[in-house]
Amino acid sequence: MATVCAAPDAAHMPELDERAAVRRLHDRFGFGPRPGDLDRGFAATLDRLLTPAPVATPALTLDPPVLARGDKQAKKDANQRRAVEEKALTSWWLARMVATDTATERLTWFWHGHFATSEQKVRSPWHMLAQNEAFRRLGLDGFPALARAMVVDPALLLWLDGNDNRAGSPNENLAREYLELFTLGIGHYTEQDVREAARVLTGWTVRRDQAEAQFVAKRHDDQPKTVLGIIGYFTVQSFVDAVLARPESARFVVGRLWFRLVSATPPAADTVDRLVSAHAKDIRSVLRAIAAEPAFRDPATTLVKQPVEWALGLMRALGVRWDSLDDKAVKQLGNGLRGMGQLPFRPPSVGGWAAGGAWLTTAAGVARVKVAQLLAAKADLKSVTGADSVRELLSVDAWSDRTRDALSRVDKPEHLATVAACAPEYVVSR
């Protein structure tokens, strides 16, 4: 887990210089800078990152799943089609993340980890794409709209057993995770709230060949419920409104944004108050408020890059375009991400992916070297002649003596880029 020094008095807090602060904006609100990005000022960079993104790549079109029942060959064919579509979906999104120069895709990535949903169980790239597009469409706007959409999102319902939730036999999985992981956090609800919330959510079902969840009245418990101290005939939307009305909800959401984008150390109480005030407007305002906090410019506020963030940031720094990768290279990159423990649309659990030092394992290190070698071989490295030139290319503030010594022992540009990309100064967003 990445660590941060105890917050000093703001008046005496050291700050990153302007160029380093701009680099941090790109690391935290995007997928890393491209060459030339650090020449813009902090305010202009923040404005650009928070501008709604244009469509960077053609939209992906997937068909509804084929419902194959009984016929073994039909089921085999359906599974093969699903595997092909999942690979296409993953490549499509990775390409968008590399290409997009605003915070839109980074927030889409954040919400994918927050409302973590895995294709391994959903078994419908079609529904996973629809969820992904909802994150992109709503992710920078107000949280309530996203929270309302996700409670009846088909992929999330399939992932959290919504089809098993019916009157007389409620399944608590979605209700529990919605309160604990998505909106309130541990300690701000009771087990009775979970049971009653599960009753509220009865009746919402998903057909794999339909785009939206359906409300089936005969499966719904239509009796009064008591949720978070409120007694009433809840609809799914009035339930969400009751949850989000709790003061703990906004504090929980801004805390999760801080944890993933700034530091594993929780923000100070007055910082939380400012972020909650911004949260009342929209998520874009929260990001702007985060960037204005002194802790955001604190050199000690570091985060270990997640594998997807690291790999895509390296592609951007090296100028490697997605369309320059052939099928073999795309497969190798996917294998590398899997080897590092992170592949889009495959979070390990509803809790999402790990953070911090969990990514710094020996096995992940080996996979990281292979990916760095792959991307370095695809890059134009004529400008790389030594430690300083590769540092500038990767937008690293400075090398430690140990890293500089390691770089001095290699001379080929591809080897320099590989070693530099795997150095702590690049693997960790400083």
Side-chain angles (χ1 to χ4, degrees), residues 23-238:
R23 189 260 312 143
R24 179 171 286 187
L25 271 178
H26 282 285
D27 279 353
R28 308 302 177 83
F29 292 178
F31 288 98
R34 303 183 194 279
D37 277 345
L38 303 193
D39 296 336
R40 298 181 177 92
F42 188 88
T45 298
L46 181 60
D47 287 343
R48 184 166 67 91
L49 285 168
L50 297 184
T51 300
V55 175
T57 59
L60 179 68
T61 300
L62 297 176
D63 295 324
V66 174
L67 302 181
R69 297 186 178 92
D71 188 324
K72 290 184 178 180
Q73 185 58 46
K75 289 183 177 180
K76 181 179 179 180
D77 291 344
N79 286 335
Q80 289 177 339
R81 170 187 158 180
R82 183 176 62 81
V84 170
E85 289 188 336
E86 183 184 355
K87 289 179 181 178
L89 176 61
T90 301
S91 294
W92 170 81
W93 192 19
L94 289 171
R96 283 193 67 117
M97 288 191 270
V98 170
T100 302
D101 289 326
T102 76
T104 298
E105 290 306 316
R106 182 57 183 267
L107 264 291
T108 303
W109 175 247
F110 168 81
W111 293 122
H112 177 43
H114 185 80
F115 293 99
T117 307
S118 176
E119 163 60 10
Q120 186 172 12
K121 181 176 177 181
V122 175
R123 300 178 66 80
S124 172
W126 186 54
H127 285 121
M128 294 296 293
L129 173 60
Q131 184 191 72
N132 183 265
E133 291 178 332
F135 292 149
R136 184 173 296 106
R137 184 176 66 254
L138 303 171
L140 282 166
D141 296 333
F143 182 69
L146 183 58
R148 294 184 188 111
M150 285 301 107
V151 79
V152 291
D153 175 74
L156 197 65
L157 285 168
L158 289 170
W159 173 234
L160 294 178
D161 306 313
N163 282 351
D164 296 334
N165 190 18
R166 64 186 71 196
S169 182
N171 184 294
E172 298 176 2
N173 204 8
L174 175 58
R176 181 178 303 281
E177 309 305 357
Y178 197 83
L179 295 174
E180 178 179 326
L181 296 178
F182 305 157
T183 57
L184 290 179
I186 296 173
H188 302 302
Y189 61 89
T190 67
E191 286 300 306
Q192 182 65 16
D193 289 326
V194 172
R195 289 189 285 270
E196 294 288 272
R199 292 176 58 212
V200 172
L201 301 178
T202 53
W204 284 93
T205 62
V206 180
R207 281 179 53 95
R208 291 182 179 273
D209 59 348
Q210 293 184 351
E212 297 181 352
Q214 305 296 315
F215 179 71
V216 181
K218 67 181 181 180
R219 293 169 59 102
H220 177 62
D221 182 337
D222 61 2
Q223 297 303 302
K225 293 96 178 172
T226 304
V227 179
L228 299 172
I230 302 172
I231 302 173
Y233 290 89
F234 285 91
T235 65
V236 67
Q237 299 303 338
S238 64

